[in-house]
Every structure is written in structure tokens, then in C-alpha cells.
Amino acid sequence: MFLGSVIYDKRRSLNLTQSDLANGLCNQNTISKMEKHNMTPQMDVLIKICQRLDLSLNDVFSEFSSDSKPEQTFI
């Protein structure tokens, strides 16, 4: 799942508007562009958004993590 989709889903589950989420962090337009996959916020803003939504960076970047671990072969 993409960053914007994770932010959108969590924001909606908490019944927050884009303006509510942006308040004191950035402007509403930034949240809108992020949710539409048109931009990625600066890291400091992203961290604050995640804190407000009770998300970790692992949650928002889950598409980059892998559940499978490479097999190790010992000889």
C-alpha cells in the first residue's frame, strides 16, 4: 500500500478532515497532494503526521518491507 493510501485510511478511521490533520504541521493542500500520491512530504512533516495518526514509519512504508527472510545455507 502506498504512503498516501495509508495516511488517507488512518485519517478517515479517526474521523479527521485533511484540515484537522494538517493543523499546525502543514497546510491542507499538502495532505491532499500526499493522499493523491502527487507528493511526499519532508521527513520532519511526515514524522509529525505519523505521530498525530499513531502510525510508525514502518506502517507507512510497508510496501518496502518484506515478510520473507532470505534463506541461509551453511556448508
Side-chain angles (χ1 to χ4, degrees), residues 57-75:
L57 291 178
N58 286 337
D59 294 331
V60 297
F61 291 117
S62 62
E63 73 268 13
F64 297 110
S65 66
S66 173
D67 292 335
S68 63
K69 295 181 181 177
E71 289 186 32
Q72 294 182 353
T73 305
F74 296 98
I75 300 176

Side-chain angles (χ1 to χ4, degrees), residues 26-41:
C26 57
N27 59 46
Q28 177 272 329
N29 193 40
T30 299
I31 301 296
S32 177
K33 286 180 180 179
M34 185 176 55
E35 290 182 353
K36 292 179 182 176
H37 313 290
N38 291 333
M39 73 164 292
T40 302

Side-chain angles (χ1 to χ4, degrees), residues 7-59:
I7 299 296
Y8 173 83
D9 290 344
K10 183 67 174 186
R11 178 180 64 77
R12 295 291 302 233
S13 75
L14 295 173
N15 294 316
L16 294 173
T17 65
Q18 289 179 345
S19 295
D20 292 336
L21 178 56
N23 187 26
L25 303 178
C26 57
N27 59 46
Q28 177 272 329
N29 193 40
T30 299
I31 301 296
S32 177
K33 286 180 180 179
M34 185 176 55
E35 290 182 353
K36 292 179 182 176
H37 313 290
N38 291 333
M39 73 164 292
T40 302
Q42 293 179 355
M43 187 55 76
D44 61 327
V45 173
L46 178 59
I47 289 169
K48 291 175 184 178
I49 289 169
C50 287
Q51 290 172 337
R52 186 163 288 173
L53 294 175
D54 195 28
L55 292 170
S56 71
L57 291 178
N58 286 337
D59 294 331

